[in-house]
Amino acid sequence: MTGLTSTVVRLKLSLLRGGLRQSAGRRAAFVASAVVALLFGASQLLGLLLLRGHAHADAVALLAVAVLALGWAVMPLFFPSGDETLDPTRLVMLPLRPRPLVRALLAASLVGIGPLFTLLVLAGCTLSVAHGAAGYAVAVVAALLSLLVCVALARAVAAANVRLLTSRKGRDLAVLSGLVVAIGAQLVNFAAQHLGSAGLGRLEPVADVLRWLPPSSAVGAVHAASQGEYGRATAQLLLSLSALVLLITLWAGSLTRLMTSPDGSTLQAAEPGPRRRSSTGLGRLLPQGRTGTVMERSLRYIWRDPKTKAAWVTSLAVGLIVPVLNAVQGTGSIYFACFASGLLGIQMYNQFGQDTSAFWMVAMTVSSPRDAYTELRGRALALLLITLPYATLVTVLTTALLGAWARLPQVLGLSLALLGAMLATGAWSSARFPYSIPQEGHRNVAPGQVGLAWIGIFGGMFSAALLCAPVIALTIWLNTSAGGDAWTWVLLPVGAVYGAAVTLAGLRLAAPRTSARLPEILAAVSKG
């Protein structure tokens, strides 16, 4: 190990020790995460070993390595602060050449829980398909080569996107990692159910492609060597080795650019140009006066604020995935389409907490219940601008997948009634149970306000369910009574009118409370 490599490895170990010395809670979290990761890795190793001799063991192993590589590729984008050594800009002022630095950082990257977990899974993947002396010999090389490819891939992605990862857009991307987890969990559940019914044989077409794609090609080499196909095994190992060389070359190129090209801190500020119009193209289409201003401000929050954007995108994705995937599997109900209205309606809760300490500027413009009503109405209309067409789209798509067009009017009417109830209770809950949303980290509630959040959200949802009771009762009655099917279309206009009426009533009830509690709301949303 060269002097630079050993120095960087010791630096990585020092960073780990220094982080653990900061607090007992951090040490406990590290130990707990290490134990969970190692137990999960050991279970994966054992499970893969149990597949030895199975007809489709190679397909499972190839897919597992591909998933590992994908995880290493995307993790630096979503969790750039998870490893401080991922930011090479910390080293640009040192007199270091890129290629020796690449070797040193690659060695340091092999220190940690992630590489150890990966090595356990890779060992299971290679050993599950290895047979004979040649197979085991190639398995050792393949496991180490796959690990190096995964680590180099993560480093190359991090170095190429380091400017993004350290910017506000990079923090937005990290916050959106919850969306990836939510969507990924649904897709994995869907794939697992599909494989459970169709069998592992469905993986073979995918495996035929993956066995020639690095780093899965290294596992394909183990399988080929075990069958005596040494030429094929050599070619597959060379593919993974070529990928490793290419990734290291790209990584070194990114480091060279980072060390030699200027960034925003070294460039002269641009000359101030003419002021742009405050309203964008969408802003010009909104109503004039305070209502339009509030709508545009709310839409800008949705687009620009990381926490608000993450909540919206997650609700949009899950609200579509749940009914659509269940409909595709043939196990869903058409009423699952109401998930879209319910999840998006939650965005009306804690409206003032989304403003954080900037709410004082809004509070300065509210001097009467009428001003509060206009403020709440603008926020509700901004939400409806997205939610109304989206909920309609999800309902129509779910209906089309299930082929239940006769029930479209009643489900859409019920969805609109639920949306109106959520807007009404959300406006009242925003005034009665406001809480602060921390701008940094992944916490969505400030310390000491978790109880307020639970009461406001779940209490409001329970109240919304009660408000929807008349429309739900009418739906049940029409579907169970003799001849009622011919009148289920009435539920669409009834649900739309009922939802609009409930929304207006909720806004008018919430406005006086909002105006009267402005100091308490400001103190609550500014906390933390």
Side-chain angles (χ1 to χ4, degrees), residues 476-494:
I476 296 174
W477 180 71
L478 288 176
N479 280 279
T480 56
S481 61
D485 289 342
W487 293 94
T488 53
W489 63 268
V490 176
L491 290 167
L492 177 55
V494 168

Side-chain angles (χ1 to χ4, degrees), residues 82-451:
D83 185 352
E84 293 176 328
T85 62
L86 279 176
D87 186 3
T89 58
R90 297 171 181 264
L91 307 173
V92 295
M93 299 302 294
L94 299 178
L96 302 173
R97 293 185 180 275
R99 291 200 175 275
L101 183 58
V102 164
R103 290 194 297 267
L105 290 176
L106 183 60
S109 301
L110 298 175
V111 177
I113 301 173
L116 181 57
F117 168 79
T118 304
L119 185 59
L120 288 173
V121 179
L122 289 174
C125 292
T126 54
L127 293 177
S128 65
V129 297
H131 300 281
Y136 285 112
V138 176
V140 175
V141 177
L144 296 177
L145 184 57
S146 299
L147 177 61
L148 290 175
V149 170
C150 289
V151 174
L153 177 60
R155 288 293 184 171
V157 170
N161 297 277
V162 67
R163 303 292 189 201
L164 169 67
L165 298 179
T166 55
S167 65
R168 181 182 65 85
K169 290 184 178 181
R171 293 191 293 271
D172 293 358
L173 189 63
V175 171
L176 290 176
S177 60
L179 171 63
V180 176
V181 174
I183 296 177
Q186 292 291 335
L187 294 179
V188 168
N189 178 50
F190 175 71
Q193 292 182 5
H194 186 66
L195 285 176
S197 58
L200 294 177
R202 299 298 296 269
L203 295 177
E204 288 298 336
V206 179
D208 290 338
V209 177
L210 292 178
R211 70 177 72 252
W212 293 102
L213 294 178
S216 296
S217 60
V219 177
V222 179
H223 185 256
S226 299
Q227 294 181 337
E229 302 175 359
Y230 301 117
R232 181 177 180 179
T234 302
Q236 290 172 321
L237 280 178
L238 287 176
L239 276 175
S240 292
L241 182 61
S242 301
L244 177 61
V245 173
L246 177 61
L247 289 171
I248 291 177
T249 302
L250 294 175
W251 181 11
S254 299
L255 285 178
T256 301
R257 287 192 297 272
L258 287 171
M259 292 179 170
T260 58
S261 62
D263 60 7
S265 63
T266 58
L267 295 175
Q268 184 177 1
E271 294 294 328
R275 293 180 62 89
R276 295 183 298 175
R277 292 177 59 90
S278 59
S279 294
T280 60
L282 178 61
R284 298 188 186 99
L285 300 177
L286 298 176
Q288 296 295 319
R290 177 167 185 151
T291 298
T293 302
V294 173
M295 291 179 66
E296 185 173 2
R297 186 208 321 139
S298 298
L299 294 173
R300 286 181 183 272
Y301 277 159
I302 295 172
W303 181 250
R304 294 183 177 181
D305 181 65
K307 292 293 182 70
T308 306
K309 181 191 296 185
W312 269 92
V313 174
T314 303
S315 296
L316 287 169
V318 177
L320 175 66
I321 288 173
V322 170
V324 168
L325 283 186
N326 280 280
V328 169
Q329 295 178 76
T331 59
S333 167
I334 192 173
Y335 295 102
F336 279 3
C338 295
F339 264 93
S341 293
L343 289 174
L344 294 178
I346 293 178
Q347 305 308 316
M348 188 64 187
Y349 289 72
N350 196 35
Q351 277 290 308
F352 308 126
Q354 298 174 12
D355 300 352
T356 63
S357 58
F359 178 69
W360 72 268
M361 292 186 290
V362 176
M364 294 291 292
T365 66
V366 178
S367 58
S368 65
R370 180 176 179 80
D371 292 336
Y373 174 76
T374 307
E375 176 73 25
L376 290 170
R377 182 181 62 186
R379 294 174 184 248
L381 289 174
L383 189 146
L384 282 172
L385 199 62
I386 301 173
T387 304
L388 199 57
Y390 188 79
T392 303
L393 175 64
V394 171
T395 304
V396 172
L397 181 58
T398 306
T399 303
L401 291 174
L402 293 174
W405 292 105
R407 294 191 175 186
L408 175 61
Q410 59 178 298
V411 176
L412 186 56
L414 186 60
S415 181
L416 296 177
L418 174 61
L419 179 58
M422 295 293 288
L423 293 178
T425 56
W428 188 87
S429 177
S430 297
R432 183 64 183 85
F433 302 107
Y435 56 90
S436 178
I437 301 177
Q439 293 300 294
E440 300 295 333
H442 291 268
R443 295 179 63 93
N444 290 319
V445 184
Q449 293 185 326
V450 177

